[in-house]
Amino acid sequence: MSESTPAAPVVLDLWCDLECPDCHQALSDVRAVRARYGDLVEIRLRHFPLEKHKHAYAAAQAAEEAAVQGQDWPYIEALLSRTEELGKTGEPVLLDAARELGLDVEEFDTALIDGRHLLIVDADQAEGKAIGVTGTPTYVIGDERLDGGKSQEGLRERIEEIVDRRLAARG
């Protein structure tokens, strides 16, 4: 999902593993940032599936298919609200979430089989590694990185502080 063009004054990249319990916790921060800043902040999901989560890579591909079908954030939020279920059940959760959002489930299944979104997921992961992302969630705003995988204590306040400073600098 890194193909977007920044339309907002501030871009927040959220490096995320859709099976990660910490990313599930981060969803409340994402919603709070959206509520506070609206269109002033573009939040972009960047894929960083961790090896310890066996369904995260497929979930990242499924999220890309949801984006193609016009439901990226609703789908991402649906998966993040089910990280535990995804870890236990796997791929059926990906298809159930798509079905609940009225997406083309057959197309999801085909996308997971043919791997049409592999390059996007791999590119995000490679870029994340290149800039020092080691865990999820990791927030990157400009050249500032916040690692939510270590601790989410005070994270929202630090995000807002960086965004406020960047918005003020833009005039």
Side-chain angles (χ1 to χ4, degrees):
M1 297 199 194
S2 55
E3 296 293 316
S4 68
T5 317
V10 176
V11 175
L12 184 157
D13 283 331
L14 169 59
W15 297 87
C16 185
D17 171 322
L18 293 171
E19 191 180 335
C20 171
D22 290 332
C23 290
H24 168 83
Q25 299 280 326
L27 192 52
S28 64
D29 290 332
V30 168
R31 288 177 176 146
V33 168
R34 266 202 210 114
R36 178 171 174 171
Y37 297 103
D39 292 341
L40 294 175
V41 175
E42 178 185 1
I43 301 172
R44 300 187 303 192
L45 181 88
R46 305 298 302 272
H47 300 293
F48 203 79
L50 301 170
E51 286 185 29
K52 67 182 178 180
H53 296 131
K54 62 183 177 178
H55 305 294
Y57 198 80
Q61 293 175 69
E64 285 300 321
E65 181 57 33
V68 168
Q69 294 189 33
Q71 293 288 319
D72 51 352
W73 277 103
Y75 187 78
I76 290 162
E77 290 191 22
L79 288 188
L80 286 175
S81 69
R82 299 172 163 181
T83 54
E84 188 177 332
E85 183 184 355
L86 178 60
K88 290 178 182 172
T89 310
E91 205 166 294
V93 173
L94 303 176
L95 301 177
D96 287 346
R99 189 175 295 107
E100 289 166 14
L101 290 169
L103 300 173
D104 184 339
V105 177
E106 285 184 31
E107 200 59 34
F108 263 79
D109 200 32
T110 302
L112 290 171
I113 292 167
D114 71 18
R116 68 183 73 158
H117 303 299
L118 288 172
L119 290 176
I120 294 170
V121 176
D122 287 346
D124 270 6
Q125 194 166 38
E127 185 180 337
K129 287 179 181 175
I131 64 168
V133 175
T134 57
T136 59
T138 296
Y139 300 87
V140 177
I141 307 165
D143 59 353
E144 298 182 65
R145 186 175 71 231
L146 300 171
D147 183 355
K150 291 181 181 156
S151 171
Q152 296 199 23
E153 186 72 32
L155 195 59
R156 185 181 308 168
E157 292 79 15
R158 291 186 312 217
I159 291 168
E160 290 174 353
E161 177 186 304
I162 293 168
V163 170
D164 287 344
R165 186 170 10 94
R166 289 186 170 272
L167 287 172
R170 292 183 83 99

